[in-house]
Amino acid sequence: MFEARVYCERRKRLREEVKNGIVLLPGNEESPMNYSSNTYHFRQDSSFLYFFGIDQPGMAGIIDIDRNEDLLFGNDTDLESVIWMGPQPSVKELGLMTGTEKTYPYQDIEKIVNDAAKKGRKIHFLPPYRAENKIFLEKLTGINYSEINKKISEELIKAVVKLRSVKELWEIKEIEKAVDVAHEMHTTAMKMAMPGTYEKEIAGRIEGISLSHGTPVSFPVILTINGHILHNHYHGNMLREGRMMVTDAGHETSLRYASDITRSVPVGGKFSQRQKDIYEIVLHSLIQATELTRPGIPNRDIHLEAAAVIAAGLKDLGLMKGDVREAVNRGAHALFFPHGLGHMMGLDVHDMEGLGEDYVGYDNEIKRSDTFGLKGLRLGRRLKEGFVLTIEPGIYFIPPLIDKWRSEKKFTDFINYNKVETYKDFGGIRIEDDVLVTAEGRRLLGRPVPKTVREIEETMAK
Ligand code: GLY
C-alpha cells in the first residue's frame, strides 16, 4: 500500500467532486474456478484499491459525503482462517493503514446502506462487472438485480475518472516498475524466438518472469506468429522462419499497476526485406505519434496522424494508392490498421474501462466515431499532463477482411487488392510503448524495450 495519507487525500478530493449522499465501494470477492475453495488468482477492484488500498477479499468502503467520514467494512480472521492462512492484520489495523478510523464488521454495511436508502439519501455506486457484486448491491440498495446497471451514478463515474486519469508521482513510479519487468519479459521472448520453438514455451517463460517478480501478468499474454489475429491467445504453434512473432504482454506490480508493451520480431532474428518494409512503417507511425503526444492535443488527431503515416508507407509499397488524407478520412487504412492507437493505463491495463469506455476516452467535445477502425479508438479526447497511455499502431493482413472488402469492391480507389493478395501470408506487426503526458510533451516510461530493426536484431543475436 501507499502511505495512508495518499488514500485520505484521494477520498478528500472525491468529496469535492460529488455533491451529496454516500459513495459505496464494494471490494471484490474470491472467484471460484471449479469449486469454491479452488479460486482464480484474487484481483481487487481497482477503484476500491484506489480509494482504500486494501488488496484482500471481504472488504467494502463507504465515503460519506454529507457527514465527511469514511467507513471501512471487513471481518477479522477467526482461528480457523489463521490455521489455514496464518495471522492477518485486523480490520482496525487495515483501517489505520488506509487512514480510516471507523471500521465495522462486514455485515454492518447492509444496515447502514439500508438506513441511508430509507432516508432518501443518494447512494452512489459504480457499474458492477461481477455478478456477485450486482447481487450485493441489490441486497444493500433494494434495487432489483436487473435494474442495477441503470441506477449507476454518472456523477461518481465522472468524478472517479477525473481523479484516476491524472497519475500521481508514486503511481508513475509503480508503472515504471511494471515496464521494467516487461523489458525483461520482452527481451527474453526476443531471444527465444527461434525456429522450432513453440509459442507456449515462450509465453510460459515470460509469464514466469512476471510471477518471479511476485505478481502475475497484467492481462493474458498475447504471443503468436499469427499477429493478424489481434488478441491471439492460442500458443500452440511452432515458430518457423519467415513469420513475425508478436508479443503483447505486461506485468502487474504488487500495488496492481500495469504495463502493456508489444514487440514484433522476425522468427530467427533477421528481418527479411519484406518484413523490414512493413516494420519500418509501423515504427515510423509510433515515433510520429509519440512526438505528437502533449497536453491539449486530442488523441483522436494523433490516431489519425499515425494512420496517415501507415497509409503513406503502404502507398510507397504499392499496397495503397490515391490521396493519403482522403483515404484516412474515409477509413480505407483500417483494412490494415483496424484498431485504435491506444488507451489509458494505470491500475487497469485498459484503465477504468469497467466504468465505461466513453467516460474515460471521450467527452462533450470529442465523441466516439462509428467508422470502422476509428470506432475502436478507446482514447479520443484531449490529453492532459499526468495521463498515462499506450501508443500502439500496427499493420495487419487479415485474409477474411481482405476477402470481404475485395468482394464488396470497398475503397478500390485507395487499395491495390492485387498487391494486397500477395501479403495474405504475412501476419501482422504491432509495436507498443507506455507513455506519460508531461507539461513539456511526453516521456517514455520505464526501461526502453529494443524496438529499432538494429536493436531487435542485436538483442536476438545475443
Ligand atoms: N495489450 C492488450 C490490450 O490492449 O488489450
Side-chain angles (χ1 to χ4, degrees):
M1 279 174 73
F2 297 121
E3 288 174 25
R5 66 180 173 85
V6 169
Y7 304 101
C8 292
E9 178 64 22
R10 289 172 178 175
R11 295 191 299 262
K12 177 170 165 278
R13 289 183 51 222
L14 188 72
R15 278 198 191 86
E16 290 160 11
E17 299 293 332
V18 177
K19 277 197 294 295
N20 55 24
I22 64 171
V23 171
L24 181 55
L25 289 167
N28 279 339
E29 294 301 327
E30 294 280 16
S31 197
M33 283 194 289
N34 47 346
Y35 52 92
S36 59
S37 63
N38 199 22
T39 57
Y40 290 104
H41 154 75
F42 174 71
R43 181 53 159 83
Q44 184 57 287
D45 174 73
S46 296
S47 290
F48 180 81
L49 269 183
Y50 187 80
F51 291 105
F52 286 96
I54 302 167
D55 194 1
Q56 65 181 56
M59 306 297 303
I62 286 181
I63 300 172
D64 191 320
I65 307 293
D66 308 322
R67 295 179 185 156
N68 193 21
E69 59 185 18
D70 305 321
L71 286 59
L72 182 69
F73 300 86
N75 291 331
D76 289 339
T77 37
D78 55 16
L79 183 61
E80 180 92 0
S81 307
V82 171
I83 291 167
W84 289 96
M85 295 156 57
Q88 307 292 320
S90 68
V91 176
K92 265 272 163 268
E93 286 164 330
L94 290 171
L96 286 180
M97 288 183 211
T98 189
T100 317
E101 281 170 20
K102 295 196 168 221
T103 58
Y104 299 85
Y106 191 72
Q107 54 279 13
D108 284 12
I109 195 169
E110 197 174 331
K111 182 174 175 331
I112 289 175
V113 178
N114 285 170
D115 283 353
K118 275 191 206 127
K119 287 183 185 138
R121 296 178 70 199
K122 173 88 186 149
I123 298 165
H124 300 269
F125 54 87
L126 297 168
Y129 49 87
R130 289 192 179 189
E132 62 267 28
N133 276 355
K134 262 194 202 176
I135 295 167
F136 183 59
L137 287 170
E138 179 183 64
K139 197 163 134 195
L140 296 190
T141 61
I143 300 165
N144 187 277
Y145 180 92
S146 59
E147 297 289 305
I148 287 283
N149 279 79
K150 294 186 200 145
K151 304 284 181 180
I152 53 177
S153 166
E154 194 174 43
E155 186 184 358
L156 178 62
I157 293 173
K158 287 184 173 167
V160 173
V161 167
K162 185 171 171 188
L163 264 62
R164 283 182 56 189
S165 295
V166 177
K167 275 29 181 204
E168 298 152 350
L169 221 57
W170 30 91
E171 294 186 285
I172 294 163
K173 283 194 182 140
E174 276 298 305
I175 296 171
E176 295 213 82
K177 281 189 214 162
V179 178
D180 289 349
V181 176
H183 177 282
E184 192 181 335
M185 292 160 68
H186 280 274
T187 49
T188 301
M190 286 177 191
K191 290 173 197 163
M192 288 180 76
M194 296 299 148
T197 308
Y198 278 84
E199 293 163 339
K200 58 192 168 194
E201 296 175 64
I202 310 175
R205 179 74 68 85
I206 67 172
E207 188 152 350
I209 290 173
S210 181
L211 286 167
S212 75
H213 286 268
T215 35
V217 287
S218 47
F219 57 93
V221 170
I222 297 162
L223 187 146
T224 179
I225 53 170
N226 292 319
H228 57 286
I229 303 170
L230 302 184
H231 277 182
N232 199 338
H233 296 299
Y234 175 74
H235 298 145
N237 295 306
M238 189 176 77
L239 271 54
R240 43 195 168 78
E241 201 93 44
R243 300 297 295 178
M244 295 292 296
M245 182 183 83
V246 175
T247 306
D248 182 346
H251 172 71
E252 184 176 90
T253 65
S254 58
L255 297 189
R256 308 294 165 206
Y257 285 84
S259 57
D260 180 3
I261 300 282
T262 306
R263 289 293 182 265
S264 303
V265 303
V267 173
K270 279 266 166 229
F271 284 83
S272 68
Q273 190 56 47
R274 193 167 83 136
Q275 289 171 334
K276 202 184 293 186
D277 289 343
I278 301 293
Y279 189 88
E280 294 286 12
I281 299 171
V282 181
L283 184 62
H284 183 195
S285 172
L286 172 72
I287 291 168
Q288 180 77 2
T290 307
E291 279 173 5
L292 286 171
T293 298
R294 60 173 187 273
I297 187 168
N299 203 48
R300 177 204 53 202
D301 295 0
I302 306 180
H303 169 94
L304 292 172
E305 279 303 314
V309 172
I310 285 173
L314 292 174
K315 183 177 169 185
D316 289 345
L317 291 180
L319 288 152
M320 290 190 75
K321 55 191 175 177
D323 183 77
V324 164
R325 292 281 158 191
E326 201 189 334
V328 169
N329 289 340
R330 291 181 48 196
H333 66 282
L335 177 66
F336 309 100
F337 176 34
H339 61 77
L341 184 64
H343 50 82
M344 292 257 208
M345 197 186 71
L347 276 166
D348 306 302
V349 66
H350 291 179
D351 209 21
M352 300 170 279
E353 194 163 295
L355 307 186
E357 260 185 28
D358 286 359
Y359 288 115
V360 179
Y362 292 87
D363 55 17
N364 289 336
E365 182 198 0
I366 297 176
K367 302 279 175 212
R368 190 188 278 261
S369 161
D370 54 13
T371 309
F372 178 73
L374 190 53
K375 77 174 174 197
L377 178 63
R378 293 191 162 95
L379 175 60
R381 69 178 164 122
R382 287 183 194 277
L383 301 178
K384 285 194 177 152
E385 184 181 349
F387 283 13
V388 169
L389 48 126
T390 66
I391 304 181
E392 47 179 313
I395 294 180
Y396 314 88
F397 296 90
I398 307 168
L401 186 63
I402 295 166
D403 292 344
K404 181 162 189 295
W405 280 30
R406 185 168 203 180
S407 71
E408 290 169 358
K409 301 191 174 22
K410 209 165 162 171
F411 296 126
T412 46
D413 293 350
F414 300 114
I415 295 166
N416 185 352
Y417 283 105
N418 285 341
K419 179 99 182 193
V420 174
E421 284 293 329
T422 68
Y423 278 75
K424 271 178 159 177
D425 63 346
F426 186 93
I429 287 177
R430 176 164 67 255
I431 319 174
E432 174 180 24
D433 280 333
D434 300 336
V435 164
L436 167 72
V437 181
T438 62
E440 300 74 35
R442 88 296 316 163
R443 179 165 75 75
L444 209 62
L445 290 175
R447 187 170 174 199
V449 182
K451 68 171 177 252
T452 64
V453 165
R454 205 174 107 206
E455 286 165 354
I456 288 173
E457 290 188 345
E458 281 175 7
T459 304
M460 294 181 78
K462 278 179 197 153

